[in-house]
Amino acid sequence: MTTRARHSHHRRPGRPREEATEQAITAAARQVLADKGVARMSMEHVAARAGVAKSTLYRRWPSKVELAVHAVAATFDEIEVGDHGSLAADMRSGIEEAARLLRDPSTGGAYAALLAESARDPEGVGTQVRESLSTRLHALVATSVARAIERGEIQPDMVDVDLLADVVVGSVMHRSLATGVPDQAFVDGLIELLADVAYARLHRAAVAASAARATD
Amino acid sequence: MTTRARHSHHRRPGRPREEATEQAITAAARQVLADKGVARMSMEHVAARAGVAKSTLYRRWPSKVELAVHAVAATFDEIEVGDHGSLAADMRSGIEEAARLLRDPSTGGAYAALLAESARDPEGVGTQVRESLSTRLHALVATSVARAIERGEIQPDMVDVDLLADVVVGSVMHRSLATGVPDQAFVDGLIELLADVAYARLHRAAVAASAARATD
Amino acid sequence: MTTRARHSHHRRPGRPREEATEQAITAAARQVLADKGVARMSMEHVAARAGVAKSTLYRRWPSKVELAVHAVAATFDEIEVGDHGSLAADMRSGIEEAARLLRDPSTGGAYAALLAESARDPEGVGTQVRESLSTRLHALVATSVARAIERGEIQPDMVDVDLLADVVVGSVMHRSLATGVPDQAFVDGLIELLADVAYARLHRAAVAASAARATD
Amino acid sequence: MTTRARHSHHRRPGRPREEATEQAITAAARQVLADKGVARMSMEHVAARAGVAKSTLYRRWPSKVELAVHAVAATFDEIEVGDHGSLAADMRSGIEEAARLLRDPSTGGAYAALLAESARDPEGVGTQVRESLSTRLHALVATSVARAIERGEIQPDMVDVDLLADVVVGSVMHRSLATGVPDQAFVDGLIELLADVAYARLHRAAVAASAARATD
DNA sequence: TCCTAACCGAGACGGTACGTCCTGTCTTATG
DNA sequence: CATAAGACAGGACGTACCGTCTCGGTTAGGA
């Protein structure tokens, strides 16, 4: 990713890193994270489970939190934002995907814990959490909307994507962690809510257009 | 919460608890929480700052998390859900109050951290977090809606209060911690979004009513 | 030893230290020290063998070196400087005692290692090593000489006790660690050497006395 | 020590070792040793200061201790045992040289630390320490005595060189590390002590000779 | 002129220990 | 009984080294 590395096919000096190691650590971290949560996940434990020395962990990640971010990111990497033909279908799929991810207490809890860490270090951990976690969740909504605009279903000025993304992700997360699990009724309710927003905006646009025609 | 003990005139045997102590501890805990966040808040540190022995802490709260919940609850106790005359005004006030609370990284971060803990122990910590934190945030929305129903602005079946509350609180929280601070534009956008939902539902109700009249 | 503690029979506040613990740690440290030497003795290992938490070690000794000093001092505490009736006999006994102690590579090696540490920190570790180890070895010679002076065997100005002590302890130590074990021949040789010094000084004193008589 | 390899004209295959490297490492090691002592000297640090890879160190010395021995030996190589015309003068010079070397805490401490290591491994490290360090210190005394015998000042059976050497080196070392720095008074006292031994032995030899003459 | 063996730097790796910090429990003496 | 004080078992943190290893690349002599 760094410029130097990109346009250079010369390998870095020194013994290259063991390829399998990173995967082993990531897998171990994900397991421990699922078992114990961010707070009780220990580098010692992860190293042992990965069959790796603790120093190897610290060579690759500066601290426990960074490793946790990486491990959760690995889970979020599974996010698929498929094309379902319409904004409505895409949104439903996005919300259900978010619900699927955050419903699992280990994933939802980990995400919340890392957001909490972000609050303490907005530049360091915060940036990483944003770049490798939050954006990925936001993509669930953002790409749906982008596709809808391409299809001509909606106009770009009709929706604030960032707001919408925070609404979707935030709602699902809060429901998952604070109020109860995001069941089908909740998902339906949320979709209906968003559908009503769309209805109102399209309706108002149509009224405005007919008014403009009348003025002619 | 400790009203039961206070109001009882059957005093427990032995030396009674120092009244000032609880306040001192709470104050100290809130400070430490603001300085370091839940993860790095330590009972040792809180005790020292409160000028109190560690055992006094554990006599009153079974563990660090419970004390943290108590300390955050003390902040959430400041929530005021005033009557502003209309649903729209009440909602705006509620959202702004939520934004005010969660914008502070120490409060927002602490709430997220405690939600994360809830994920690990939904019955113990989870219940406490729900009862003394989440409900209080939900109240921001719930009482507004209840009042609107009383006033006859809306019908009870027109809105799922729990859903709405999760949407408001969740959106504001996620914006605060993940995407950026909930500034005025965000608050306005969120209000507009909810207003559009109301518009759609009222509009549809009106259409349905006129259709019903026509059928007569 | 501190003034406050001395004239106070009031116990220090807080839970008193477990009496058995210090002995268990000392014993464990001495064993580990004998097995591995100062450099390879580990606090982890000592704690485990003593059946005690590592934090208990650090509560009592600020670092590994101090504990090692304490452990070696416990061995040196066995030093007995008995009265054998004459300076010659006392000296022989003292030298043999020194040889007995330092011949054991674990004790001799530990003492050397701690002297090496003293060189790095003459005020901290250095003072402790001097006060609890070196003085105890010096006592082997110093008390013998003091007794001889009491008995009238020699005059106080005939011998520099500090020098003599360094000669005895240093010779035995260097022989133990560098050249070979201090066997009987070595001990005999050293005693003979010291006896010759005494002979020379007494002889010269006698000559001087008769010369003085002659001058009268 | 490496003379065998150097004198051989059957050069080993492959790239020859960089000549300057060994000196750079030795110099760096001596500096680090002086700064931190044997225990805190680290191969990593020495390599960095010498501007050399860690593997280069291990290619030449099997472990840290051996390098330390080598570095101290480089200091001891400065020992000069000049001829000062008489045993007394040579001994004074030898003692002063020993005091000069061991007075420096870094040298004295290093020597003690390596003696301590010897105790743990008498055959491996022990042999090296003996051969390249202790013998060199013993030489301070041994050559003086040898020269005195050549000159006819004393008879070979009058003195146990090994004993004498341990006495001189051990005394100076112990004084340097444990009791205080070997100042002029100490050196004078030690010389006087040895002079008295000589006096006693020569005197007794003379008495015995005259007794033998009388018996004739 | 290539080949080969050893050198060198860089740095990853498995380990081990350090000394610090904190948790939650306990044991005292005193109010 | 509450409280201050602090000992205790336990556990994790992040750091620092050790000695080994695996690379790419260098530098000679011998084929």
Side-chain angles (χ1 to χ4, degrees):
Chain A
M1 284 300 153
T2 64
T3 336
R4 185 169 49 75
R6 210 188 349 246
H7 55 64
S8 163
H9 39 205
H10 292 310
R11 206 204 280 254
R12 292 196 317 186
R15 174 174 174 179
R17 292 191 169 173
E18 208 65 53
E19 298 237 352
T21 299
E22 177 145 345
Q23 293 176 356
I25 295 172
T26 307
R30 290 177 70 182
Q31 284 175 34
V32 175
L33 215 47
D35 283 7
K36 321 244 179 171
V38 172
R40 267 168 284 272
M41 162 184 130
S42 87
M43 296 299 259
E44 227 106 293
H45 198 132
V46 171
R49 189 182 282 231
V52 142
K54 206 171 41 146
S55 46
T56 300
L57 266 54
Y58 283 100
R59 208 170 290 119
R60 293 165 189 245
W61 295 276
S63 82
K64 197 177 84 158
V65 185
E66 275 87 351
L67 174 54
V69 172
H70 170 84
V72 176
T75 298
F76 282 11
D77 268 339
E78 294 169 359
I79 292 176
E80 291 273 325
V81 197
D83 188 336
H84 296 82
S86 75
L87 177 57
D90 280 0
M91 284 300 292
R92 169 173 290 274
S93 146
I95 289 171
E96 276 171 348
E97 183 75 1
R100 188 184 65 76
L101 282 168
L102 300 175
R103 187 160 35 218
D104 176 359
S106 81
T107 314
Y111 184 51
L114 295 174
L115 287 182
E117 280 300 317
S118 295
R120 285 221 42 74
D121 175 11
E123 270 132 55
V125 176
T127 305
Q128 293 182 42
V129 168
R130 240 170 288 130
E131 288 181 357
S132 53
L133 301 183
S134 303
T135 24
R136 227 162 305 216
L137 290 179
H138 269 65
L140 289 168
V141 168
T143 47
S144 298
V145 171
R147 263 202 291 259
I149 291 172
E150 257 179 63
R151 284 194 207 99
E153 284 184 274
I154 53 171
Q155 304 301 319
D157 61 350
M158 281 181 62
V159 58
D160 177 344
V161 191
D162 287 337
L163 170 65
L164 189 58
D166 276 325
V167 168
V168 167
V169 175
S171 305
V172 174
M173 179 175 73
H174 201 260
R175 165 61 55 118
S176 301
L177 295 169
T179 317
V181 155
D183 57 6
Q184 196 54 43
F186 169 82
V187 173
D188 289 344
L190 183 55
I191 285 169
E192 199 187 318
L193 191 143
L194 296 178
D196 283 348
V197 175
Y199 171 84
R201 293 186 184 177
L202 288 169
H203 183 79
R204 259 207 294 267
V207 169
S210 71
R213 256 198 315 277
T215 328
D216 284 346
Chain B
M1 291 302 140
T2 50
T3 21
R4 183 174 48 79
R6 216 177 348 245
H7 285 263
S8 163
H9 40 208
H10 291 307
R11 209 211 260 250
R12 289 192 299 186
R15 174 175 171 181
R17 289 191 173 170
E18 206 67 50
E19 298 239 351
T21 300
E22 177 148 341
Q23 292 176 356
I25 296 173
T26 307
R30 290 177 68 182
Q31 283 176 35
V32 174
L33 215 47
D35 283 8
K36 322 245 179 170
V38 172
R40 266 169 283 273
M41 162 184 129
S42 84
M43 295 300 259
E44 223 111 88
H45 202 127
V46 171
R49 188 182 282 234
V52 142
K54 212 170 37 146
S55 47
T56 302
L57 266 55
Y58 281 101
R59 209 170 289 116
R60 293 164 192 245
W61 295 275
S63 84
K64 193 177 89 158
V65 186
E66 276 86 353
L67 173 55
V69 172
H70 170 83
V72 176
T75 298
F76 282 10
D77 269 338
E78 296 168 358
I79 292 177
E80 291 273 324
V81 197
D83 188 335
H84 297 80
S86 75
L87 175 58
D90 280 1
M91 283 299 292
R92 169 173 288 276
S93 147
I95 289 172
E96 277 172 347
E97 184 75 0
R100 188 183 66 75
L101 282 169
L102 300 176
R103 186 159 37 217
D104 177 359
S106 81
T107 315
Y111 184 50
L114 294 174
L115 288 182
E117 278 302 314
S118 296
R120 288 218 45 74
D121 174 11
E123 272 133 54
V125 178
T127 305
Q128 293 182 45
V129 168
R130 240 170 288 130
E131 289 180 355
S132 51
L133 300 183
S134 303
T135 19
R136 233 168 291 221
L137 291 178
H138 269 64
L140 289 168
V141 167
T143 49
S144 297
V145 170
R147 264 201 291 260
I149 291 172
E150 257 179 63
R151 283 192 209 103
E153 284 184 275
I154 54 171
Q155 302 302 317
D157 61 349
M158 280 181 62
V159 58
D160 177 344
V161 190
D162 287 337
L163 171 64
L164 188 59
D166 276 326
V167 168
V168 167
V169 175
S171 305
V172 173
M173 178 177 71
H174 200 259
R175 166 61 56 121
S176 302
L177 295 170
T179 315
V181 156
D183 57 6
Q184 195 55 43
F186 169 82
V187 173
D188 289 345
L190 183 54
I191 286 169
E192 196 188 321
L193 191 144
L194 297 179
D196 283 348
V197 175
Y199 171 84
R201 293 185 183 176
L202 289 170
H203 183 78
R204 258 205 296 266
V207 169
S210 74
R213 259 197 313 279
T215 327
D216 283 347
Chain C
M1 282 301 152
T2 65
T3 338
R4 184 171 52 76
R6 208 187 349 246
H7 55 64
S8 164
H9 41 202
H10 292 310
R11 206 204 279 253
R12 293 196 316 187
R15 174 175 172 179
R17 293 192 169 172
E18 208 67 52
E19 299 237 351
T21 298
E22 177 146 343
Q23 292 174 357
I25 296 173
T26 307
R30 290 176 69 181
Q31 284 175 35
V32 176
L33 215 47
D35 283 7
K36 321 243 179 174
V38 172
R40 264 168 285 271
M41 162 184 130
S42 87
M43 296 299 260
E44 228 105 292
H45 198 133
V46 171
R49 189 182 282 232
V52 142
K54 207 171 42 147
S55 47
T56 300
L57 266 55
Y58 282 101
R59 205 171 293 116
R60 293 165 190 246
W61 295 275
S63 84
K64 197 177 84 159
V65 185
E66 275 87 351
L67 174 54
V69 172
H70 170 83
V72 176
T75 299
F76 282 11
D77 269 339
E78 295 169 357
I79 292 177
E80 291 273 326
V81 197
D83 188 336
H84 296 81
S86 75
L87 176 57
D90 280 0
M91 284 300 292
R92 170 172 288 274
S93 146
I95 289 171
E96 276 172 348
E97 183 75 0
R100 188 184 66 76
L101 282 169
L102 300 176
R103 185 159 39 214
D104 176 359
S106 81
T107 315
Y111 184 50
L114 294 174
L115 287 181
E117 279 301 318
S118 296
R120 286 219 43 73
D121 175 11
E123 270 131 56
V125 177
T127 305
Q128 293 181 44
V129 169
R130 240 170 288 129
E131 287 180 358
S132 51
L133 300 183
S134 303
T135 23
R136 227 161 304 215
L137 291 179
H138 269 64
L140 288 168
V141 166
T143 47
S144 298
V145 169
R147 264 201 292 259
I149 291 172
E150 257 180 63
R151 283 193 209 102
E153 285 185 273
I154 53 171
Q155 302 302 317
D157 62 350
M158 282 181 62
V159 58
D160 177 344
V161 190
D162 287 337
L163 171 66
L164 187 58
D166 276 325
V167 167
V168 166
V169 175
S171 305
V172 172
M173 179 175 72
H174 200 260
R175 165 61 55 118
S176 301
L177 295 170
T179 316
V181 156
D183 57 7
Q184 195 55 44
F186 168 81
V187 173
D188 288 345
L190 184 55
I191 286 168
E192 196 187 320
L193 192 144
L194 297 179
D196 283 347
V197 174
Y199 171 85
R201 293 185 183 177
L202 290 169
H203 183 77
R204 258 206 294 268
V207 168
S210 73
R213 257 198 316 280
T215 327
D216 284 346
Chain D
M1 290 300 139
T2 51
T3 22
R4 184 172 48 77
R6 210 171 0 239
H7 286 265
S8 163
H9 39 210
H10 292 309
R11 210 209 259 253
R12 289 193 302 186
R15 173 176 173 179
R17 291 188 171 169
E18 206 68 49
E19 299 237 351
T21 299
E22 177 147 342
Q23 292 175 357
I25 296 173
T26 307
R30 289 176 70 182
Q31 283 175 37
V32 175
L33 216 48
D35 282 7
K36 321 243 179 170
V38 172
R40 266 170 282 272
M41 162 184 130
S42 84
M43 295 300 259
E44 225 111 89
H45 202 124
V46 170
R49 187 181 281 233
V52 142
K54 211 169 39 146
S55 47
T56 303
L57 266 54
Y58 283 100
R59 213 171 284 119
R60 294 165 191 244
W61 294 276
S63 84
K64 195 178 88 158
V65 186
E66 275 86 353
L67 174 54
V69 172
H70 170 83
V72 176
T75 298
F76 281 11
D77 269 338
E78 296 168 357
I79 293 177
E80 291 272 324
V81 197
D83 189 335
H84 297 80
S86 75
L87 176 57
D90 280 0
M91 285 300 293
R92 169 172 288 273
S93 147
I95 288 172
E96 276 171 348
E97 183 74 0
R100 188 184 66 77
L101 281 169
L102 300 176
R103 186 158 36 217
D104 176 359
S106 81
T107 316
Y111 184 50
L114 294 174
L115 288 181
E117 278 302 315
S118 296
R120 286 218 46 73
D121 175 11
E123 272 134 54
V125 177
T127 305
Q128 293 183 44
V129 169
R130 241 170 286 130
E131 287 180 358
S132 52
L133 301 182
S134 302
T135 18
R136 232 166 293 218
L137 291 179
H138 269 63
L140 290 167
V141 167
T143 48
S144 298
V145 170
R147 264 202 292 260
I149 292 172
E150 257 179 63
R151 282 193 209 102
E153 285 185 272
I154 52 170
Q155 302 301 317
D157 61 349
M158 281 182 63
V159 59
D160 177 343
V161 190
D162 287 338
L163 170 65
L164 188 59
D166 276 326
V167 168
V168 166
V169 175
S171 304
V172 173
M173 177 177 73
H174 200 260
R175 166 60 56 119
S176 301
L177 295 170
T179 316
V181 156
D183 57 7
Q184 195 56 42
F186 169 81
V187 173
D188 288 344
L190 184 55
I191 286 169
E192 197 188 320
L193 192 143
L194 297 179
D196 284 347
V197 174
Y199 171 84
R201 292 186 184 177
L202 288 169
H203 183 78
R204 259 206 293 267
V207 170
S210 73
R213 260 199 312 279
T215 328
D216 281 349

